[in-house]
Amino acid sequence: RDRAQEVLHELDRPLVRRLHRAEIMRARGDLNQAQGDIQRSVAELADIDRDLPDRRASLDQARATALDRPGLERERHGIRRELDRDRSARALCLADDPPRHVLDRLGPRPERGAVSDIWDEAAARLDQHTVAFDISSSYPHLGPSPSWEETAIAVNGRAVAQACEALDRGLGRAPVIEPPGLELGL
């Protein structure tokens, strides 16, 4: 910018202007471009200044969350332990007297072997999911949630679906594709 102004100052005078038209035009173009760049930079700085308080608040919130993380991790592990204990207790109870919704989805419990352990896991997960999310036995949806969010019901539903699929594989059952019914729709 400074060089362009010097060129204009030296050459854009009545007696010299004719001999240096190209240089003057180039200097004017450089000056115009520099002024445009300056205006864009000023606008970007104004945007940054406007967004700065929100970004600082987000940074403060992230720092606070990072400080809380060890406690949150302990809490999460505690919840996971409690859910695992609950599933173990459910598996013992369900092995002797499974409710209708478990029998409808999994079939009867195999007598012995590894498949009975897989059945216990699938039954416990299915029953825990059904009770935790107050799902009626007629609710057919397990697996991916229709929502884009990673909700607890979606994550747990996928775990139930995986346990049921493991049981089906263990029993040698092929996946059943149900014909479309009235419950499907837009």
Side-chain angles (χ1 to χ4, degrees):
R1 176 181 163 194
D2 292 337
R3 176 67 184 131
Q5 286 178 335
E6 281 180 29
V7 169
L8 289 176
H9 181 70
E10 288 177 22
L11 305 177
D12 195 12
R13 289 187 264 157
L15 297 176
V16 182
R17 189 175 297 143
R18 276 189 162 168
L19 299 172
H20 300 283
R21 279 188 192 160
E23 292 172 86
I24 292 171
M25 294 299 288
R26 193 170 31 256
R28 284 185 182 154
D30 291 347
L31 194 55
N32 286 339
Q33 182 178 357
Q35 288 171 342
D37 290 344
I38 290 170
Q39 288 173 350
R40 279 189 294 281
S41 295
V42 167
E44 286 177 18
L45 286 173
D47 290 344
I48 289 170
D49 284 343
R50 187 185 67 246
D51 293 342
L52 193 57
D54 290 339
R55 297 199 186 265
R56 282 191 175 136
S58 294
L59 179 61
D60 290 343
Q61 185 178 9
R63 285 179 176 151
T65 300
L67 291 174
D68 289 345
R69 185 176 177 138
L72 294 171
E73 287 291 323
R74 281 190 303 277
E75 184 178 337
R76 185 176 67 85
H77 288 298
I79 291 169
R80 178 166 283 156
R81 277 191 306 276
E82 289 300 315
L83 288 171
D84 290 344
R85 283 185 201 135
D86 178 70
R87 268 197 312 278
S88 295
R90 283 178 193 277
L92 290 173
C93 293
L94 294 170
D96 294 332
D97 188 23
R100 180 94 251 142
H101 71 274
V102 171
L103 289 173
D104 288 347
R105 174 60 180 95
L106 303 179
R109 182 178 188 270
E111 290 299 319
R112 288 192 174 91
V115 179
S116 64
D117 292 338
I118 296 171
W119 188 95
D120 291 343
E121 174 70 17
R125 283 190 179 276
L126 178 61
D127 191 57
Q128 188 179 56
H129 182 74
T130 302
V131 171
F133 298 105
D134 195 25
I135 298 171
S136 69
S137 60
S138 63
Y139 181 74
H141 181 72
L142 290 175
S145 171
S147 169
W148 291 102
E149 297 179 22
E150 282 292 302
T151 60
I153 192 170
V155 171
N156 201 50
R158 281 194 300 272
V160 172
Q162 290 168 349
C164 292
E165 290 167 6
L167 176 63
D168 289 342
R169 282 191 306 274
L171 292 172
R173 292 191 290 214
V176 176
I177 299 175
E178 295 182 17
L182 295 176
E183 70 276 355
L184 294 177
L186 301 173

